[in-house]
């Protein structure tokens, strides 16, 4: 996965950044509850890194989210998205429009209810804010302008 600016140096780095993103989001008084309220168990598959990320609302009242990097389904996702790592990086920075990426096949989405995918979009605004802060501070090679 090593490559030019805007790309993760390795699958391990991608996983590290995603884990930090979810920790920050879970602890944020706005983002965490917003993600929990979306009640959207989702699975993200990063096709070129072999990474599968499952995210859902937490059972623990002290947390908003729970997640794992596991191929097995810990819970049935209401939304599954598949994308490459470079698309994920652009999407998480707000540089890749979700609807356009879906239409152009850069993000493949499966969900039982077609509106479910678009109902996820408002919650991503907070993810974008946290993701940008993380990469600007500690992973500047991922920043896409």
């Amino acid at each position: 996965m090593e490559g030019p600016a805007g790309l993760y140096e390795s699958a391990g780095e991608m996983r590290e950044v995603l884990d930090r993103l979810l920790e920050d989001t879970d602890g944020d008084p706005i983002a965490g509850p917003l993600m929990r309220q979306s009640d959207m168990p989702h699975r993200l598959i990063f096709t070129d890194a072999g990474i599968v990320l499952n995210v859902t609302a937490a059972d623990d009242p002290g947390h908003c989210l729970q997640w794992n990097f596991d191929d097995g389904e810990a819970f049935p996702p209401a939304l599954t998205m598949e994308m490459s790592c470079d698309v994920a990086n652009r999407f998480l920075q707000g540089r890749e429009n979700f609807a356009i990426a879906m239409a152009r096949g850069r993000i493949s989405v499966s969900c039982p209810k077609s509106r479910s995918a678009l109902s996820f979009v408002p919650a991503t605004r907070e993810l974008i804010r946290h993701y940008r802060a993380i990469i600007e501070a500690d992973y500047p090679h991922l920043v896409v302008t």
Side-chain angles (χ1 to χ4, degrees):
M1 285 184 55
E2 202 167 308
L7 296 180
Y8 297 96
E9 292 177 353
S10 66
E13 180 184 59
M14 182 181 201
R15 187 174 166 151
E16 176 182 303
V17 172
L18 292 171
D19 199 41
R20 277 191 60 190
L21 171 63
L22 291 168
E23 285 175 14
D24 285 2
T25 303
D26 180 54
D28 184 277
I30 295 170
L34 183 61
M35 289 291 292
R36 175 183 259 188
Q37 289 168 358
S38 74
D39 196 26
M40 176 76 58
H42 53 283
R43 173 179 255 210
L44 297 128
I45 301 169
F46 305 101
T47 54
D48 52 344
I51 295 174
V52 176
L53 172 61
N54 301 291
V55 183
T56 192
D59 295 329
D60 177 355
H63 291 277
C64 294
L65 301 173
Q66 64 184 27
W67 63 94
N68 65 53
F69 294 91
D70 187 1
D71 270 352
E73 279 190 29
F75 48 83
L79 171 66
T80 300
M81 296 186 291
E82 292 185 46
M83 66 192 86
S84 67
C85 296
D86 65 318
V87 169
N89 184 40
R90 289 193 314 272
F91 169 66
L92 289 168
Q93 289 182 62
R95 305 277 190 234
E96 182 82 45
N97 179 285
F98 184 67
I100 292 171
M102 281 178 33
R104 293 187 176 162
R106 290 192 294 262
I107 297 177
S108 174
V109 176
S110 63
C111 56
K113 299 177 186 171
S114 59
R115 290 181 48 193
S116 295
L118 294 177
S119 67
F120 177 70
V121 172
T124 62
R125 288 186 187 102
E126 288 297 314
L127 286 175
I128 289 168
R129 182 173 62 83
H130 283 278
Y131 186 80
R132 281 186 182 168
I134 290 167
I135 65 169
E136 286 171 3
D138 298 323
Y139 303 90
H141 61 281
L142 293 174
V143 175
V144 177
T145 56

